[in-house]
Amino acid sequence: MKYFLISLYSLIIFYGNAAYAQTLNPDKSDGLLSSPPSIKEICALPTPAIIEIHTKDKVPVQSKEVYIDAQITIRGETLSDNSDASKNTFATRIRGRGNSTWSMEKKPYRLNLDEARPMLGLPAARNWALLANYADKTMLRNAIALCLGRVMGMEWTPGFRFAELYLNDEYQGLYQLTDHIETGEHRVNIGARKESSVPGDIGFLMEIDTRLDETQWFLGNIFGTPYTIKGNLSPEEAVEAAAFINRMELGFIKKKNAYSSDIQNHPNFINYKDYIELESFVNFYLINEFMKNVDAFRVASTFVYRPWEEKLRFGPLWDFDIAAGNADYYDMEDPHGWWTREISVYVQHALSDPEFNDRIKDRWNVLYARIPELFDFIDSAATGLDEAQKRNFEKWPILDRFVWPNPEIHYTYDKEVAHLKNWLQKRALWIHSELSFNTTQ
């Protein structure tokens, strides 16, 4: 029996890889079809830039709560770039950020510019994050997840660029500059209240977050899901937003056969799809499931937002540095096995809906067909980071030692990247075999 299972899994891998090749070569005999942009094109990354930050009086950044006045300079690929630095120097404030990541040696930071500006080709804004990616020795897991958000057509996914950081003239290593998650025209665009808006039309941005560390928060009435409200809502608007979430949660509670047409046409029937934009929910679920993100729906970093008068969206994606086999608890290092659908009450209840299951398979096939391109992107990104990662690991010599919560040590950057690709390939093949052979989900 053991050898039969091994042979069966080998066949799955063989035909899975064959399926990759088939899906990447559509019939173009009519001359009308054209290939979509490749993932490398969609998520093209320039060579890491240089960011220099000088705090006032060289005060060290030691707090997540207190901002320090500073000057920031954005340069090209090297510090010897002869471009006029004065044109790329402006005022900012800087403080620490993150939760478990703030306790690590290489610190992540939050920037608050004096005025909105574009950064390294990303749209203008005042608030930015500098991710350290200390626990992720490839420094690519966040980039991969955010790239997949774009590939899968999510409404908004944080933009990002890599840059080497100098703080008060001391080299800090390779960082990932990224959009801060907040509402705004070029961020999470929820629009604004319209004259025709009535109670119940409220727009908002929230995070499912067990820390409850925002001023406004509540627990969902049905599942006790912890929601923190991002941005400022009036007390009345906060009540409206909580009421919307409670109605949405109520829509997940179904009896057997609740999705039959007779029941759905009943005037008192509440359907979660009346409150959730289904494709955003499916895409968000699949990317988190594929990456086996330990925090998704469980601790924090699960965002939802609702544009005024519209349905709830799941997203944007955030916080994947210990995803994709990079945590040593809850069997996260194993590329097999469901995770997100086991931990999320929303996904568990939605799985009783045939339409949700159909959309999972449809969207998974889109993602699965592009896995080879994803590996090309990873190779390209790793090559682009090659010189910078060497300097980073000279500053932080951790490739040969344990950093929480790494399950394994691979000793070189190239082997870390190879392990990540191998894990993702096994994960993709396992999910594909489950969705292909298990018609009842």
Side-chain angles (χ1 to χ4, degrees):
M1 184 64 178
K2 173 182 176 181
Y3 296 105
F4 170 77
L5 292 174
I6 293 173
S7 300
L8 178 61
Y9 190 69
S10 298
L11 286 172
I12 291 172
I13 293 176
F14 175 81
Y15 286 111
N17 285 326
Y20 286 165
Q22 292 168 8
T23 54
L24 292 174
N25 293 282
D27 181 9
K28 299 181 182 179
S29 58
D30 59 6
L32 298 177
L33 295 178
S34 60
S35 299
S38 70
I39 291 181
K40 283 198 296 185
E41 293 170 324
I42 294 170
C43 305
L45 287 174
T47 302
I50 298 292
I51 294 178
E52 295 177 276
I53 298 175
H54 292 88
T55 63
K56 185 177 180 180
D57 299 325
K58 293 193 173 182
V59 174
V61 183
Q62 297 179 325
S63 170
K64 293 197 304 176
E65 288 74 37
V66 179
Y67 275 108
I68 298 172
D69 291 335
Q71 292 283 321
I72 181 171
T73 300
I74 307 294
R75 297 186 182 269
E77 296 178 11
T78 68
L79 279 174
S80 61
D81 190 334
N82 294 321
S83 61
D84 185 355
S86 64
K87 295 181 180 179
N88 299 312
T89 299
F90 34 90
T92 187
R93 301 188 302 157
I94 182 172
R95 64 171 172 82
R97 67 165 307 279
N99 293 292
S100 60
T101 53
W102 179 244
S103 66
M104 295 178 177
E105 291 184 83
K106 183 184 177 188
K107 304 296 185 184
Y109 299 104
R110 167 87 174 271
L111 303 178
N112 175 241
L113 308 185
D114 279 14
E115 59 182 80
R117 292 178 180 270
M119 295 272 274
L120 297 177
L122 301 175
R126 290 187 62 194
N127 294 304
W128 301 85
L130 280 167
L131 306 181
N133 291 318
Y134 186 66
D136 175 12
K137 294 171 185 174
T138 71
M139 294 176 282
L140 290 174
R141 284 174 170 85
N142 275 310
I144 291 167
L146 297 180
C147 177
L148 288 176
R150 296 184 183 280
V151 171
M152 297 295 281
M154 295 188 71
E155 199 167 80
W156 183 76
T157 298
F160 63 93
R161 297 287 186 270
F162 286 100
E164 293 180 88
L165 175 64
Y166 289 78
L167 181 57
N168 292 328
D169 298 319
E170 182 178 350
Y171 182 69
Q172 300 299 313
L174 180 62
Y175 279 71
Q176 188 176 347
L177 175 75
T178 185
D179 291 317
H180 176 65
I181 294 183
E182 61 186 346
T183 58
E185 181 182 359
H186 300 300
R187 298 273 168 97
V188 180
N189 191 356
I190 64 172
R193 182 187 291 273
K194 303 172 185 176
E195 290 186 8
S196 59
S197 296
V198 298
D201 289 343
I202 184 72
F204 54 77
L205 169 66
M206 297 184 187
E207 181 181 5
I208 297 176
D209 185 354
T210 57
R211 294 184 299 263
L212 300 176
D213 54 2
E214 296 286 352
T215 303
Q216 296 174 305
W217 60 267
F218 64 94
L219 302 178
N221 282 349
I222 305 301
F223 303 117
T225 307
Y227 282 94
T228 59
I229 297 174
K230 302 295 182 179
N232 296 318
L233 296 181
S234 70
E236 295 77 16
E237 289 174 330
V239 170
E240 283 185 50
F244 179 90
I245 292 294
N246 287 329
R247 290 195 299 273
M248 178 270 289
E249 286 199 344
L250 185 61
F252 280 104
I253 303 298
K254 304 295 178 188
K255 296 179 180 179
K256 188 176 181 181
N257 300 321
Y259 290 95
S260 68
S261 58
D262 289 344
I263 294 177
Q264 291 192 59
N265 290 331
H266 191 280
N268 293 326
F269 178 77
I270 297 177
N271 191 330
Y272 76 98
K273 289 179 289 190
D274 293 336
Y275 297 91
I276 290 178
E277 201 280 313
L278 188 60
E279 186 145 309
S280 78
F281 185 28
V282 170
N283 287 335
F284 186 82
Y285 160 67
L286 279 177
I287 293 172
N288 277 284
E289 188 73 85
F290 173 51
M291 298 287 287
K292 207 172 185 183
N293 185 7
V294 66
D295 289 334
F297 293 99
R298 188 182 69 91
V299 177
S301 302
T302 297
F303 289 90
V304 297
Y305 64 98
R306 184 198 181 198
W308 278 86
E309 301 182 7
E310 297 184 24
K311 294 182 180 182
L312 187 80
R313 275 75 159 159
F314 274 76
L317 298 162
W318 192 249
D319 201 10
F320 284 78
D321 58 322
I322 59 172
N326 197 32
D328 62 358
Y329 52 97
Y330 296 141
D331 293 326
M332 289 296 105
E333 66 273 26
D334 187 351
H336 311 103
W338 297 117
W339 169 251
T340 308
R341 68 169 56 193
E342 300 294 336
I343 205 69
S344 169
V345 290
Y346 295 163
V347 175
Q348 290 169 10
H349 283 271
L351 285 169
S352 63
D353 176 11
E355 183 181 5
F356 181 73
N357 284 286
D358 289 343
R359 291 304 295 151
I360 284 176
K361 289 186 176 182
D362 289 344
R363 296 303 293 162
W364 170 253
N365 286 334
V366 170
L367 174 57
Y368 183 74
R370 307 198 73 170
I371 296 297
E373 292 180 71
L374 180 65
F375 291 159
D376 288 343
F377 166 74
I378 294 172
D379 288 339
S380 176
T383 298
L385 297 182
D386 188 55
E387 293 302 318
Q389 64 85 11
K390 290 175 183 176
R391 289 186 287 269
N392 180 85
F393 291 116
E394 287 176 4
K395 171 69 177 179
W396 308 106
I398 58 173
L399 286 172
D400 62 350
R401 65 181 175 90
F402 170 79
V403 173
W404 181 91
N406 300 161
E408 298 177 4
I409 298 173
H410 297 285
Y411 297 98
T412 71
Y413 182 74
D414 289 344
K415 288 180 179 179
E416 288 284 350
V417 173
H419 172 74
L420 171 60
K421 289 172 58 182
N422 183 57
W423 190 96
L424 289 172
Q425 182 181 47
K426 290 179 179 178
R427 181 73 176 155
L429 290 169
W430 185 86
I431 292 176
H432 195 69
S433 66
E434 288 294 304
L435 293 181
S436 297
F437 298 137
N438 186 355
T439 58
T440 62
Q441 296 297 312

